[in-house]
Amino acid sequence: MQPRRNVELKGRDPDPAATLAAALAAGAQDHGVLRQRDTYFAAREGRLKLREQDGGGELIAYERADRTDARESAYTLVAVPDPDALRAALDAALGTVVEVVKRRRLLIRDEVRIHLDDVDGLGDFVELEAVAPPTSDLAAEHAKVAELRGALGLSDDRVVAQGYAALLLEAGAARERLVGLARTAMGRARAPYSRFDVGAALRDEAGRLHAGANVENASYPEGSCAETSAIGALVAAGGTAIREIAVMADTELVTPCGGCRQRLAELAAPDVAVHLCGPEGVRRTVTLGELLPLGFAAADLPPAEPAA
Ligand code: THU
């Protein structure tokens, strides 16, 4: 099946009533309010979500780059007659990344869909979506989105590059599960010499969570920290970046050792949150940049010699 293509633009909406009025004034047809629940699963490639709406469901597989200009996306839709059963099956097989629940007012103008979205936990957004016929070079779709964007006054400072799932994850939607995984890993630590059990959990760029425990060795320097074990799990599962970190131990305030700060910084940006946890949960959250200021990184290395 040919994937379908869209040109899309999304922005925060400080005044949905005014946007609705502007859309109607621009000639948009009001198609009413839909209640939608999107469940995102931990897919190996691209993104996979189940959309439930008015008792029906569809499975949507897609790729999309996070960008602030109007972006293109390709996706495949599959009708789902029994969304509850499919959600349970995919959750068991792949794991759920996050759920996005929203009320969506749908308007359509000149084949461009206008979504006025009220998203649980995030607030109000306006989204423009031009669905392209298979033969289109997308120029007409970009032009329509640009024109409508002007009519609705969607300024650059309001444009949001990320999807709702990523925004919810950044806002802490995976934090409890991440902490729970760190707790389970801590319970499995192998630390007979120090008797200091540590668990760590990491969220990767696809929303998947990976855990590790410290693994000690009779030859003491050969032991591995929990964070290092978790990095190995993330890389082995296909992850390439760390977006959120939890470390847990039963001490006043556990922090990653110096070596682990360096290893985490190889895959995590300085603004990534590090939750420092006791067995009951998060005690303090800091950023990796706070833990490793002025860190050494690949950018400090000389350029590689060109191949002979
Ligand atoms: N350890 C970790 O796994 N992570 C930390 O953040 C601090 C220290 C481990 C290493 C060793 O197995 C034990 O804790 C005592 O140092």
Side-chain angles (χ1 to χ4, degrees):
M1 184 167 41
Q2 275 276 4
R4 301 206 213 176
R5 293 170 312 153
N6 272 348
V7 173
E8 315 178 349
L9 188 67
K10 180 186 356 248
R12 295 194 180 272
D13 192 351
D15 191 348
T19 308
L20 174 60
L24 294 171
Q29 295 287 319
D30 189 353
H31 291 260
V33 176
L34 307 160
R35 281 194 59 89
Q36 298 179 333
R37 167 158 76 158
D38 291 344
T39 307
Y40 290 75
F41 301 100
R44 274 224 343 220
E45 306 287 340
R47 306 183 196 197
L48 183 69
K49 74 179 178 193
L50 173 64
R51 164 157 298 176
E52 292 169 81
Q53 175 176 296
D54 307 327
E58 51 189 14
L59 190 67
I60 308 172
Y62 63 115
E63 298 281 353
R64 188 180 63 195
D66 283 339
R67 286 168 38 184
T68 48
D69 49 345
R71 62 201 173 188
E72 297 158 17
S73 72
Y75 57 101
T76 305
L77 289 179
V78 183
V80 174
D82 188 350
D84 281 333
L86 185 68
R87 178 160 25 77
L90 290 177
D91 180 54
L94 300 174
T96 296
V97 168
V98 69
E99 262 189 22
V100 180
V101 176
K102 63 179 174 294
R103 282 147 304 286
R104 165 168 287 179
R105 183 167 208 133
L106 170 65
L107 296 105
I108 301 180
R109 177 197 184 246
D110 191 17
E111 289 167 40
V112 181
R113 297 166 64 95
I114 305 168
H115 301 152
L116 304 185
D117 288 341
D118 172 7
V119 187
D120 284 4
L122 290 178
D124 293 304
F125 293 80
V126 56
E127 205 174 62
L128 307 178
E129 196 177 277
V131 181
T135 53
S136 170
D137 65 359
L138 302 182
E141 288 75 19
H142 278 286
K144 284 183 190 179
V145 167
E147 189 205 332
L148 197 49
R149 175 186 178 173
L152 301 185
L154 176 49
S155 51
D156 281 347
D157 56 306
R158 284 169 37 198
V159 171
V160 174
Q162 291 169 301
Y164 296 131
L167 291 172
L168 278 168
L169 289 169
E170 289 307 317
R175 202 177 83 146
E176 283 308 304
R177 283 191 300 129
L178 199 66
V179 170
L181 279 181
R183 187 179 292 113
T184 302
M186 179 179 75
R188 296 171 179 164
R190 185 182 193 282
Y193 309 109
S194 73
R195 302 215 176 92
F196 186 66
D197 296 342
V198 186
L202 308 173
R203 174 165 61 83
D204 73 16
E205 76 282 3
R208 296 173 302 186
L209 309 184
H210 312 276
N214 55 336
V215 184
E216 296 185 347
N217 193 281
S219 173
Y220 291 180
E222 302 311 323
S224 169
C225 287
E227 297 87 334
T228 299
S229 303
I231 290 170
L234 178 144
V235 170
T240 58
I242 300 169
R243 294 285 155 77
E244 190 174 3
I245 301 166
V247 188
M248 185 183 291
D250 192 0
T251 187
E252 200 174 311
L253 191 68
V254 67
T255 64
C257 77
C260 285
R261 294 177 198 202
Q262 181 70 25
R263 293 186 194 100
L264 291 166
E266 182 80 14
L267 295 173
D271 65 349
V272 164
V274 186
H275 306 298
L276 309 175
C277 309
E280 80 295 344
V282 177
R283 292 188 180 164
R284 190 168 158 193
T285 296
V286 296
T287 66
L288 187 57
E290 288 175 297
L291 291 177
L292 189 65
L294 295 176
F296 180 81
D300 299 313
L301 294 168
E305 293 279 334

